[in-house]
Amino acid sequence: MKVYKLCLGLTAALTLAGCAGVHYGHMRMEPVDQRAMDAASAQVRQAEREERAEARKERREMLMDEADAIRRAGGTQRPVYIID
């Protein structure tokens, strides 16, 4: 009976020690701050959104420059539409 209680106590102690943190192989995964992760994710999304807006603006300027060059070369006052 003492051996059973010893094994039960040892198993309980090991189980509780194992639940203290998540381990993956030799690495220990610490709990993360979800708010900090959400804030960092929002900053990344905002930066990507700004990059896409800048790329659209540059593309639009390039198309307008091409249309202006075609209009000047042709000598027409009609609007020139470039469909990309």
Side-chain angles (χ1 to χ4, degrees), residues 12-66:
L14 289 174
T15 302
L16 289 175
C19 292
V22 179
H23 292 274
Y24 182 76
H26 64 283
M27 298 184 298
R28 178 178 171 86
M29 304 296 187
E30 296 294 332
V32 295
D33 183 17
Q34 189 63 37
R35 286 187 212 140
M37 282 182 52
D38 291 343
S41 177
Q43 287 177 344
V44 168
R45 282 194 308 270
Q46 180 64 28
E48 289 174 347
R49 194 174 300 123
E50 289 171 0
E51 285 180 24
R52 288 192 303 269
E54 181 67 26
R56 284 192 306 270
K57 181 180 176 185
E58 289 174 359
R59 178 77 176 142
R60 193 174 316 120
E61 288 175 0
M62 184 184 72
L63 289 174
M64 293 300 289
D65 289 344
E66 288 178 11

